[in-house]
Amino acid sequence: MSPEKLAALSVNPELTLRQALLRMDQTGRGILLVLNAEGKLARTLTDGDLRRAILGHIGEMAPLSNLPEVAPITAGLNTNAADVLQLMDLHQIDHIPVLDAEKKPVDMVFRRELSQRVWLSSPHLGSEETVFVDDAFKTNWIAPLGPHVDAFESELADHVGIANGAAVSSGTAAIHLGLLLLGVKPGDTVFCSALTFVASCNPILYCGARPVFIDSGPNTWNMSPAALERALEWARRENRLPRCIILVNLYGQSADMDALLPICEHYGVPVLEDAAESLGARYKGKSSGTFGRMAVYSFNGNKIITTSGGGMLVADDADLVAKARKLSTQAREMAAHYEHVEIGFNYRMSNVLAGIGRGQLRVLEQRVNQRRQVFQRYARALQDFPQLTWMPEPPGYRSTRWLSCFTLNGPDAHRNCQTVMKSLERHLIEARPVWKPMQLQPLYKGAPYFSHDDDNDVSARLFNAGMCLPSGSNLTEQQQDRVIEHLRHALAMIGTQRAVA
Ligand SMILES: *Cc1c(COP(=O)(O)O)cnc(C)c1O
């Protein structure tokens, strides 16, 4: 709740009951906050309290201080939405003031807003998914493989402009297959972007290989060409050039391919593009996921389009993709009996889920535009907060804005992000920190890491000062207005706290 709205609900104990009734009528929230001389909350006043006072023959010209004392039910800055709701149920009330450490009200939570969570990124179905799924049921193709799988592969490949795709059970599975196809073996080295979701690099460990992490550049948040160059130089000196490089396209935006690919080529190292978050994005007119030797998309529930769970490995090289299909179906040889020469996996996508994917693919461009609009509304509504810097979209890039992300400036950025996220969470709004980079993960402790430059660890700084806002293509304008209102309030509060300190 904004400071202005909070001020309108705040009254002093010298006010008469009649004046309080008038104020309650004007503000229309069914509650007032009675503050003492220091601005601390003395009590809350509901319309029921006023009714009881008048029925109990306290004259309407009497001051509020004549009312019997009652301890107010309140929440603190660390109280989350579930706890607030529990308090409301316990005391049968519909609104709770939030107090800071000095017992001064800084926010209000109303029961009405706790009935609907605003998600970071939730599935958004189109109109045709059920047609394809129904078809799968009617034809009894409830199996891994089937006509929808074949069609989904070719339709997606056509859409992004690549020759072949193999639909699998997850993006993670697709990365695993990609590494195997690039010949990654136990003891090999594989480079990977540091700022990413852990699924980008866990498959390196599945292969028994050793990861080396590469920092982000400040202009793209994606892999830093300078850091990559230093890492490759080091690897050549150590005589352990990586078998491949996993290049991640973060939060719906391509990495800087024109800078990165020539470096990889120079050292003769192939690229596996992790485009799990960037399906629908473009870089200099070309689709994200068409730059590497192979690329991976994910259709997990939170991604821009979804099959509930699923992924795809794509490549121009038909042999590689045929090999991926084989490995994903237990590596069965061409023989009537079950003949096996190499180790395979059960990674294939089901025909039912591919049906969902075909429907989703038809609304992909719409989803990209919707997410970009969500971002633009945030940027416009928050442009008067100079302490906030959005993830940049350099010229020539077209991000999907899968997630709208920003960093806070200033020395207290980390603490301020925590405060903002807690205050959004209190209103049942899901915001998240920027991915915790891999060099900071206990799982990858000790793995070599190359920062952007000696005294600029960009990914650590982005993690420290960054957060992601609800960005779904199905976020309604009303929901987004709610997010913006609470965000503006939280940012204003941080500003005030800094001014006081
Ligand atoms: C989601 C994601 C993956 C993994 O995809 P799943 O389908 O969830 O296995 C890999 N890399 C990145 C960057 C992701 O965001």
Side-chain angles (χ1 to χ4, degrees):
M1 173 169 276
S2 71
E4 298 77 39
K5 286 184 185 168
L6 210 54
L9 296 184
S10 302
V11 295
N12 69 60
E14 279 78 58
L15 227 60
T16 63
L17 260 61
R18 179 171 179 76
Q19 287 169 317
L21 264 169
L22 280 172
R23 178 75 75 85
M24 196 166 300
D25 200 44
Q26 287 158 1
T27 47
R29 308 303 294 252
I31 186 169
L32 294 177
L33 307 175
V34 184
L35 307 188
N36 68 17
E38 291 122 58
K40 300 182 185 190
L41 182 71
R43 61 166 295 161
T44 56
L45 196 66
T46 63
D47 34 17
D49 292 332
L50 284 171
R51 196 168 55 238
R52 276 185 292 277
I54 287 169
L55 290 174
H57 304 294
I58 299 181
E60 65 173 42
M61 299 316 280
L64 296 176
S65 51
N66 278 19
L67 295 177
E69 275 186 34
V70 277
I73 312 298
T74 64
L77 286 172
N78 290 326
T79 316
N80 64 28
D83 294 340
V84 168
L85 200 57
Q86 208 174 11
L87 273 174
M88 287 178 175
D89 289 342
L90 190 65
H91 299 280
Q92 302 190 357
I93 49 178
D94 295 329
H95 19 47
I96 287 191
V98 181
L99 306 186
D100 66 10
E102 295 168 353
K103 303 282 173 221
K104 295 180 180 168
V106 289
D107 197 6
M108 285 286 294
V109 186
F110 293 90
R111 185 187 287 274
R112 197 164 23 87
E113 58 186 336
L114 299 186
S115 63
Q116 187 192 43
R117 174 172 270 279
V118 178
W119 299 100
L120 190 73
S121 175
S122 71
H124 184 185
L125 290 181
S127 54
E128 292 186 58
E129 290 82 353
T130 48
V131 177
F132 294 111
V133 174
D134 278 351
D135 176 79
F137 277 76
K138 279 191 197 115
T139 55
N140 201 31
W141 271 106
I142 316 296
L145 301 177
H148 288 316
V149 175
D150 300 342
F152 184 39
E153 289 173 346
S154 63
E155 286 166 4
L156 187 128
D158 282 352
H159 191 97
V160 299
I162 204 158
N164 309 282
V168 292
S169 53
S170 70
T172 313
I175 296 173
H176 187 195
L177 293 174
L179 294 181
L180 293 170
L181 292 168
L182 291 173
V184 175
K185 297 205 169 46
D188 280 351
T189 298
V190 174
F191 285 11
C192 183
S193 306
L195 186 60
T196 187
F197 178 50
V198 73
S200 297
C201 50
N202 276 348
I204 302 173
L205 300 185
Y206 303 169
C207 295
R210 295 181 294 177
V212 171
F213 294 110
I214 316 293
D215 197 10
S216 301
N219 298 330
T220 60
W221 294 24
N222 280 312
M223 192 181 280
S224 153
L228 175 64
E229 182 112 53
R230 274 191 290 116
L232 282 166
E233 207 32 64
W234 162 83
R236 177 148 70 187
R237 276 199 313 273
E238 299 279 314
N239 201 21
R240 55 181 279 201
L241 274 176
R243 186 72 64 185
C244 75
I245 296 171
I246 302 172
L247 204 51
V248 180
N249 304 302
L250 204 66
Y251 294 135
Q253 177 159 281
S254 174
D256 185 359
M257 296 303 174
D258 281 354
L260 293 163
L261 295 181
I263 301 173
C264 303
E265 246 160 65
H266 176 76
Y267 288 84
V269 183
V271 167
L272 175 62
E273 230 189 314
D274 180 351
E277 298 177 6
S278 67
L279 176 59
R282 292 182 160 266
Y283 174 82
K284 306 197 176 170
K286 207 166 168 271
S287 290
S288 186
T290 60
F291 291 88
R293 174 81 62 84
M294 283 184 277
V296 161
Y297 298 115
S298 163
F299 314 112
N300 196 359
N302 61 352
K303 298 296 180 347
I304 194 155
I305 61 170
T306 183
T307 58
S308 83
M312 201 178 294
L313 185 73
V314 297
D316 276 323
D317 185 333
D319 292 341
L320 278 177
V321 174
K323 189 85 200 289
R325 293 198 186 107
K326 181 181 171 192
L327 289 180
S328 68
T329 46
Q330 309 288 17
R332 194 179 148 193
E333 299 298 325
M334 295 288 250
H337 64 275
Y338 287 81
E339 176 87 1
H340 299 280
V341 179
E342 59 190 329
I343 188 166
F345 304 87
N346 184 4
Y347 277 171
R348 206 69 165 118
M349 181 180 274
S350 103
N351 194 51
V352 178
L353 300 190
I356 304 178
R358 292 184 72 191
Q360 286 273 281
L361 191 56
R362 280 155 176 75
V363 289
L364 172 59
E365 291 313 308
Q366 207 180 320
R367 299 291 177 260
V368 172
N369 290 327
Q370 285 161 328
R371 292 212 185 226
R372 288 181 62 85
Q373 271 163 22
V374 165
F375 170 75
Q376 279 150 13
R377 282 192 94 225
Y378 279 132
R380 232 178 296 124
L382 295 159
Q383 59 190 351
D384 52 329
F385 285 95
Q387 66 268 49
L388 186 154
T389 306
W390 297 101
M391 178 178 182
E393 185 185 36
Y397 291 62
R398 189 168 193 272
S399 170
T400 66
R401 296 289 182 180
W402 173 57
L403 296 183
S404 291
C405 323
F406 64 81
T407 53
L408 288 177
N409 312 327
D412 293 331
H414 185 67
R415 218 190 52 210
N416 288 340
C417 275
Q418 303 286 328
T419 308
V420 170
M421 281 185 282
K422 268 186 196 152
S423 105
L424 293 176
E425 178 54 38
R426 199 159 57 229
H427 294 279
L428 219 59
I429 294 168
E430 186 184 19
R432 286 291 170 94
V434 161
W435 295 127
K436 181 175 186 174
M438 294 306 127
Q439 77 276 13
L440 301 179
Q441 298 285 1
L443 174 62
Y444 288 105
K445 198 163 176 272
Y449 170 65
F450 289 83
S451 61
H452 179 63
D453 58 45
D454 282 345
D455 39 32
N456 196 357
D457 190 337
V458 174
S459 56
R461 181 177 61 74
L462 293 173
F463 167 60
N464 194 52
M467 59 183 277
C468 312
L469 295 174
S471 309
S473 46
N474 51 0
L475 189 72
T476 65
E477 288 199 6
Q478 274 161 325
Q479 287 175 323
Q480 196 177 1
D481 287 343
R482 231 178 89 198
V483 178
I484 290 166
E485 186 199 328
H486 292 305
L487 188 58
R488 288 187 64 86
H489 173 214
L491 290 169
M493 222 171 69
I494 287 163
T496 343
Q497 280 172 346
R498 193 162 55 212
V500 171

